[in-house]
């Protein structure tokens, strides 16, 4: 049977750990009470009874002791001026004065812990209740807007049909509650005009749209005002006449919200950013007097608003579930610790009164969280799941993936197969003299590039699996930090399986290639190309096999990185971009493989085509700079989004310095003169110092002179401090790997390739080592702010007016 203390430590919410009751500390105080009572000897009443008796011990001694205790308690109750309504504080105070200092210390500590838990629960409950009210209000606004748009879209289609002389067909009535994938939103808003359609159609049709837009805007305003959104000067402009006597409306034909309310969708993608720029342009034109439709209701915007509200309800429900767990765990912890206390101290009266205080506390007695959770379930079931409870629970309470031993078995199988095939390949290559001085340089070069490319990928995936294992062991919530779904996120076993299967497949292809080469087959070098095609096909495979959710997430993150700074930068995006800065050799290998196979040089073994041409050299410069450029662009995007945070500019400067150092090293490789050697030393040393400072201070949170842990930080997850000091020294040593570029090492072709591969592997190992401490620091920052649920921005907001 597992002890409650272990179960409690394994069940607490990591980000809220400081707010939970200190069960371990209270247990230590109980242990002190037990030791003090054991050292003090028998209880006083029993000692007095036995001392007053001259006949030694008797079977009636326990009865006499119990009678004396009840008599003393009755006498104390009769002499006490307080009644039965005496408060817990006074009772516990009277009790404390009659007990030893350890019992007094326990009661004071328990009262402090109860007050801490109660205050935190009250704060979180108030925040969640306020968030729930705001979300319900947002949902009412969305429902009213969609209802109005649906009605007027149908009327608009009928009106346009009559104007153009065509028969209009009434669309079938749709349910107000949208489906989970947002398809009903597309139907409801199918008749909504787009910004590009403002100038389409005849004058009569435009006038009809103008009148329709005015009517819809008035009705939308009335619906929003019924939901409590007040408007200052939000009425539509009055109709006015131009010089020819025609009436024109003050608004254009697009359906619009009043001037003091808007649908606020963050520009997280280029499409949303373009829409936001269009809105700003429209607003500028309106202020200049042109007065087109400002703050228009666009179909995509309403769909995005619906998705944001759905995500906000999911986050709210997650917060409610965590708060319910917080309440139940603390109630159970107090119950367990009070049982231990009364067993050791025999203070039954104080324990009962403290238990009553726990029961009356807000975190134990309040049912507002339960009521709000039930209400959120009903709302989500009705509005976002089509009254399908199974679908609703799939999103509200996602099932954790079940652990299976099959993955562990496959990891062992592929690992053993890889080791066996690698030994076979090494023996065959040695016998054939492939890697000797008389061997074929073209074969060695193509094998080196292809094998190194997949080996570096496999090594990085393996280290990521090690990171996942360590994060799980230390209870670092990496899925919350990266905003991954717990039902589809990779586990460390999955990462190990991917790494072993990649290496097993690659080495098997190399063995087959070597057999074909020894047999005199033609186009044997096409086999590594087929391996590249196979890996690309697996990556883009649309079927739900081979971890499709992970592959699509990887491609989505890579898209966000490549098109930086046009996409909003999330934690997963810049974390992956940091990984790419350590995989520049991998990108160079991919460059060569693409050139070698796409240019068809594998047919005539024209290896020099992809190494000595000026285009290849220039492309090598670009590839070496790209990861640093992407990362710098992400920093600039975050600088603009996060209130012009100067730290983001400083972080961008770090990557610019790395680009300068890489450019100087390339120049030195082309013209190895003493001047450029000193330029390499100066630029690379400056960039290394910059990077080390950012690693230790900003990314890991170390080198704090005021920390209670010397030159570390106040909070550490690992128990041994020496691990942190060793990690700092290891990171420093691996950051100096560039020094090899200025050393004149006379190595052969094989030794040079092996050295380059070893340095690339060491950089990946340094990055995997860096990953753990980076997420540890991020987790501690979340825990310091009690941030366990993401905050989703609400779409409808009222603009401030003068």
């Amino acid at each position: 049977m597992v002890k409650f203390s272990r179960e409690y430590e394994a069940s607490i919410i990591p980000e809220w750990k400081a707010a939970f009751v200190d069960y371990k500390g209270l247990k230590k105080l109980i242990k002190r009470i037990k030791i003090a009572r054991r050292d003090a000897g028998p209880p006083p009443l029993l000692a007095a009874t036995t001392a007053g008796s001259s006949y030694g011990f008797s079977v009636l001694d326990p009865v006499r002791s119990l009678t004396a205790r009840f008599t003393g308690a009755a006498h104390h109750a009769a002499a006490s001026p307080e009644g039965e309504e005496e408060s817990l504080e006074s009772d516990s105070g009277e009790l404390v004065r009659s007990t030893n200092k350890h019992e007094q210390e326990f009661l004071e500590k328990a009262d402090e812990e109860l007050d801490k838990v109660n205050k935190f629960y009250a704060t979180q409950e108030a925040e969640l209740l306020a968030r729930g009210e705001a979300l319900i209000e947002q949902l009412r606004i969305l429902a009213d807007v969609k209802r109005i748009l649906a009605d007027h879209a149908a009327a608009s289609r009928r009106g346009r049909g009559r104007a153009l002389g065509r028969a209009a067909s009434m669309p079938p009535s749709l349910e107000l509650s949208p489906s989970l994938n947002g398809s009903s939103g597309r139907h409801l808003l199918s008749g909504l005009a787009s910004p590009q359609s403002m100038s389409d159609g005849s004058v009569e049709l435009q006038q009809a749209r103008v009148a329709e837009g005015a009517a819809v805007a008035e009705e939308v305003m009335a619906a929003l005002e019924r939901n409590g959104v007040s408007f200052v000067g939000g009425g539509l402009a009055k109709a006015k006449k131009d010089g020819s006597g025609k009436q024109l409306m003050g608004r254009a034909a697009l359906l619009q919200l009043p001037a003091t309310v808007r649908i606020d969708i963050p520009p997280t993608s280029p499409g949303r950013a373009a829409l936001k720029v269009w809105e700003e342009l429209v607003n500028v034109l309106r202020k200049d007097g042109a007065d087109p439709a400002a703050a228009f209701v666009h179909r995509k915007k309403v769909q995005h608003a619906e998705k944001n509200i759905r995500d906000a309800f999911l986050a709210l429900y997650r917060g409610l579930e965590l708060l319910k767990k917080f309440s139940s765990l603390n109630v159970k912890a107090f119950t367990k610790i009070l049982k231990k206390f009364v067993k050791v101290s025999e203070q039954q009266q104080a324990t009962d009164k403290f238990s009553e205080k726990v029961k009356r506390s807000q975190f134990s007695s309040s049912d507002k969280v339960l009521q709000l959770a039930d209400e959120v379930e009903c709302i989500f079931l009705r509005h976002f799941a089509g009254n399908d409870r199974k679908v609703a629970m799939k999103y509200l309470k996602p099932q954790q993936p079940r652990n299976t031993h099959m993955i562990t078995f496959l990891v062992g199988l592929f690992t053993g197969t890889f080791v066996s095939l690698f030994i076979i390949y090494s023996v065959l290559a040695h016998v054939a003299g492939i890697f000797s001085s008389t061997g074929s340089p073209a074969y060695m070069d193509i094998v080196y590039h292809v094998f190194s490319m997949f080996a570096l990928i496999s090594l990085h995936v393996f280290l990521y699996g090690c990171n996942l294992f360590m994060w799980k062991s230390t209870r670092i919530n990496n899925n919350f930090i990266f905003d991954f779904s717990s039902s589809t996120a990779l586990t460390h076993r999955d990462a190990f399986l991917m790494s072993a299967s990649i290496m097993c497949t690659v080495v098997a292809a190399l063995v087959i290639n070597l057999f074909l080469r020894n047999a005199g087959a033609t186009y044997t070098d096409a086999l590594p190309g087929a391996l590249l095609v196979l890996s690309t096909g697996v990556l883009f495979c649309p079927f739900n096999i081979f971890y499709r959710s992970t592959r699509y997430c990887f491609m989505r993150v890579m898209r966000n990185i490549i098109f930086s700074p046009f996409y909003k930068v999330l934690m997963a995006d810049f974390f992956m971009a940091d990984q790419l800065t350590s995989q520049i050799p991998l990108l160079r290998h991919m460059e060569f493989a693409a050139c070698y196979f796409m240019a068809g040089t594998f047919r005539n073994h024209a290896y020099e085509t992809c190494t000595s041409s000026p285009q290849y050299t220039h492309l090598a410069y670009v590839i070496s700079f790209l990861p640093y450029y992407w990362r710098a662009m992400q920093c600039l995007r975050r600088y603009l989004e996060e209130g012009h945070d100067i730290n983001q500019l400083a972080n961008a400067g770090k990557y610019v310095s790395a680009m300068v150092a890489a450019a100087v090293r390339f120049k030195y490789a082309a013209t190895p003169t003493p001047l450029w050697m000193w330029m390499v030393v100066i630029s690379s040393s400056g960039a290394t110092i910059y990077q080390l400072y950012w690693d230790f201070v900003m990314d890991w949170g170390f080198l704090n002179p005021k920390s209670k842990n010397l030159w570390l930080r106040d909070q550490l997850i690992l128990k041994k401090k020496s691990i942190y000091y060793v990690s700092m020294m290891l990171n420093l040593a691996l950051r100096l790997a560039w020094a090899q570029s200025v050393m004149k090492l006379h190595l052969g072709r094989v030794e040079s390739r092996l050295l380059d591969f070893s340095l690339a592997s060491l950089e990946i190992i340094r990055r995997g080592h860096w990953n753990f401490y980076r997420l540890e620091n991020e987790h501690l920052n979340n825990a310091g702010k009690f941030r366990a649920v993401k905050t989703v921005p609400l779409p409808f907001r009222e603009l401030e007016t003068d």
Side-chain angles (χ1 to χ4, degrees), residues 69-94:
R69 181 174 300 173
F70 276 108
T71 304
H75 176 72
H76 175 73
S80 177
E82 290 84 7
E84 294 182 356
E85 299 297 329
E86 189 176 13
S87 67
L88 175 64
E89 286 76 8
S90 61
D91 284 336
S92 60
E94 183 70 24

Side-chain angles (χ1 to χ4, degrees), residues 336-604:
K336 292 283 187 180
I337 203 67
L338 289 177
K339 286 183 179 179
K340 292 179 179 295
F341 174 70
V342 73
K343 185 183 296 184
V344 172
S345 65
E346 300 180 358
Q347 299 291 340
Q348 186 66 47
Q349 184 180 6
T351 304
D352 293 342
K353 289 180 181 280
F354 197 91
S355 299
E356 289 297 323
K357 185 176 181 180
V358 171
K359 292 179 182 179
R360 292 195 303 268
S361 299
Q362 185 173 352
F363 75 93
S364 178
S365 60
S366 177
D367 60 347
K368 295 180 180 179
V369 171
L370 297 175
Q371 294 177 0
L372 182 57
D374 293 339
E375 187 175 358
V376 170
E377 285 186 12
C378 295
I379 291 174
F380 197 91
L381 179 66
R382 183 170 65 254
H383 289 277
F384 300 105
N387 290 321
D388 190 337
R389 185 169 183 81
K390 185 177 180 180
V391 174
M393 291 299 106
K394 178 183 177 182
Y395 286 88
L396 292 175
K397 296 180 179 180
Q399 298 293 328
Q400 299 294 332
R402 294 182 300 176
N403 293 327
T404 172
H405 295 291
M406 179 57 66
I407 295 180
T408 307
F409 168 75
L410 292 177
V411 170
L413 176 64
F414 282 120
T415 302
T417 305
F418 158 68
V419 173
S420 302
L421 290 174
F422 185 77
I423 294 174
I424 294 174
Y425 176 78
S426 300
V427 172
L428 292 177
H430 178 72
V431 171
I434 294 296
F435 297 109
S436 63
S437 58
T438 59
S440 173
Y443 174 82
M444 194 206 71
D445 289 327
I446 186 60
V447 167
Y448 166 74
H449 285 287
V450 173
F451 179 79
S452 297
M453 181 173 61
F454 285 101
L456 293 178
I457 294 175
S458 178
L459 177 62
H460 212 140
V461 174
F462 173 77
L463 290 174
Y464 181 66
C466 296
N467 290 147
L468 291 174
F469 176 77
M470 288 300 299
W471 291 333
K472 181 180 179 181
S473 302
T474 54
R475 306 207 65 218
I476 294 177
N477 196 352
N478 60 291
N479 289 335
F480 171 70
I481 294 174
F482 291 135
D483 197 16
F484 290 161
S485 173
S486 58
S487 59
T488 57
L490 282 182
T491 64
H492 63 279
R493 293 185 179 88
D494 297 324
F496 293 153
L497 176 61
M498 293 173 65
S499 175
S501 60
I502 290 173
M503 290 307 302
C504 181
T505 305
V506 171
V507 178
L510 292 177
V511 170
I512 297 173
N513 175 266
L514 191 58
F515 273 118
L516 294 176
R517 183 181 179 84
N518 294 335
T522 58
Y523 297 152
T524 56
D525 288 344
L527 187 60
L531 183 63
L532 294 175
V533 173
L534 176 62
S535 60
T536 305
V538 171
L539 178 62
F540 292 95
C541 178
F543 302 108
N544 192 13
I545 55 177
F546 303 127
Y547 301 101
R548 184 179 66 175
S549 59
T550 301
R551 290 186 285 108
Y552 280 14
C553 178
F554 172 76
M555 290 188 289
R556 183 171 60 252
V557 170
M558 289 301 300
R559 177 205 63 188
N560 297 350
I561 294 174
I562 293 173
F563 291 101
S564 299
F566 301 109
Y567 283 91
K568 181 179 177 62
V569 183
L570 303 177
M571 178 70 186
D573 298 334
F574 67 79
F575 188 83
M576 177 60 73
D578 280 327
Q579 312 304 305
L580 291 179
T581 59
S582 296
Q583 284 283 19
I584 292 177
L586 169 65
L587 300 179
R588 296 290 306 276
H589 293 319
M590 294 178 65
E591 174 199 12
F592 172 82
C595 174
Y596 191 77
F597 290 105
M598 294 180 66
T601 56
F602 65 92
R603 298 176 182 176
N604 53 10

Side-chain angles (χ1 to χ4, degrees), residues 649-665:
L649 282 183
N651 198 12
K654 180 187 69 172
Y655 296 104
V656 171
S657 67
M659 293 171 64
V660 171
V664 173
R665 286 197 294 269

Side-chain angles (χ1 to χ4, degrees), residues 1 12 86 140 166 312 400 583 645 681 751 763:
M1 183 177 180
I12 62 177
E86 189 176 13
R140 289 172 182 168
R166 293 182 288 105
Q400 299 294 332
Q583 284 283 19
D645 186 4
V681 172
E751 291 80 6
E763 172 59 22

Side-chain angles (χ1 to χ4, degrees), residues 455-456 459-460 463 582-583 585 730-738 740 754-770:
L456 293 178
L459 177 62
H460 212 140
L463 290 174
S582 296
Q583 284 283 19
L730 181 62
N731 189 69
L732 170 62
L734 295 179
R735 279 287 189 186
L736 297 175
W738 58 266
Q740 176 267 341
L754 182 60
L755 178 62
D756 292 341
F757 178 76
S758 300
L759 292 177
S761 301
L762 288 176
E763 172 59 22
I764 295 176
I765 292 173
R766 187 200 67 81
R767 180 59 64 180
H769 172 259
W770 177 90

Side-chain angles (χ1 to χ4, degrees), residues 28 30-40 102 344:
K28 290 181 179 179
I30 289 180
K31 189 174 182 180
R32 292 180 187 176
I33 296 173
K34 186 176 182 180
I35 295 174
R37 283 182 165 267
R38 184 189 62 189
D39 296 341
H102 298 294
V344 172

